[in-house]
Structures are given as structure tokens and as C-alpha cells.
Amino acid sequence: MSTIADVAARAGVSKATASRALSGGGYVSDAARTRVLTAASELDYIAHSSAMSLATGRSLSVGVILPALDRWFFTELLAGIQDELLASGLDLVLYGIGEGTAERARLFEKVLPAGAWTASSPSASSPAPANSSGSCRSIRPW
């Protein structure tokens, strides 16, 4: 598996320049961008989402919490969410955890602090625990 260092070496640029060329952020000359993109293609380079998250401090993952994974409605909902995320270049983090559990509350506080999408049953009094950023969004299917 090729790394960004391999791409940079082949293109004759620094890792920072290669990163900017691949991400589209910051200034990179047209000639350098072309060399980097060619090198990435030749090496079959694929950016690793976890490494990008560490470097940028931002995640390309979207957390989805469903109360059940074995019901047709939620599997259809999940298929649609997955299609949209993949088309947008985002990763899916899926949890199938029922409402009102300590584990679900822990997910919102510790694992998904930046926010998540959650599907709730119509009987749920609260769609999800409040999290630190307040960015939880709820989908009520009925």
C-alpha cells in the first residue's frame, strides 16, 4: 500500500505539497499538482481516512445509531444513508443499539461527540441524549 511519502517522492515534491495537491487545499502550482496526481495514480494511492482525520483534526465519518438492524425499515433507511455517504466520500460508522440503554448514552458522550444521526421509534420520549456539541439529529420513521 502506497503512502503519501511514496507519492511525494515519485512526484519530486514535499509531503506537504503532495497533501495539498491531493486534498485541493492551499496553493500548489499546476505543474506540481499534475505530477502529484500522476504519481498517485501510478502508485494506486488511496488516502487513508483515519490518517487524514489525525492530520486535519476532522473526521470523514458519520455515525448512525439505529435501534434495530433486523427490521426492513431500518435496513432500507441504512441502505439510503450508505449510498449518500459513499457518493459524498464519507465513511459510515454504524451502531445498532436500542433506546434508553446506558451503552447508547455512552456512545453519544464518548464515541460520537461531534454528532450523529439516530433513528428512534415513535414511542421514544427523547430521540437521543444531548451531547457536548448539540449536533445530534434524529430521524423519526413513523
Side-chain angles (χ1 to χ4, degrees), residues 10-103:
R10 178 162 296 190
V13 299
S14 69
K15 287 194 303 185
T17 299
S19 175
R20 287 193 311 273
L22 292 168
S23 70
Y27 175 76
V28 178
S29 71
D30 289 338
R33 184 178 314 279
T34 300
R35 289 196 317 271
V36 169
L37 294 176
T38 300
S41 177
E42 290 170 352
L43 294 170
D44 294 326
Y45 173 75
I46 298 173
H48 192 280
S49 62
S50 295
M52 287 175 28
S53 296
L54 286 173
T56 64
R58 296 184 62 174
S59 172
L60 296 177
S61 298
V62 175
V64 176
I65 300 173
L66 298 175
L69 299 177
D70 59 349
R71 294 189 189 150
W72 72 267
F73 176 82
F74 293 119
T75 57
E76 291 294 319
L77 180 65
L78 179 59
I81 292 169
Q82 176 179 274
D83 289 346
E84 291 300 315
L85 291 176
L86 290 173
S88 300
L90 298 171
D91 297 321
L92 171 66
V93 178
L94 174 64
Y95 295 95
I97 298 179
E99 298 155 13
T101 64
E103 188 61 21

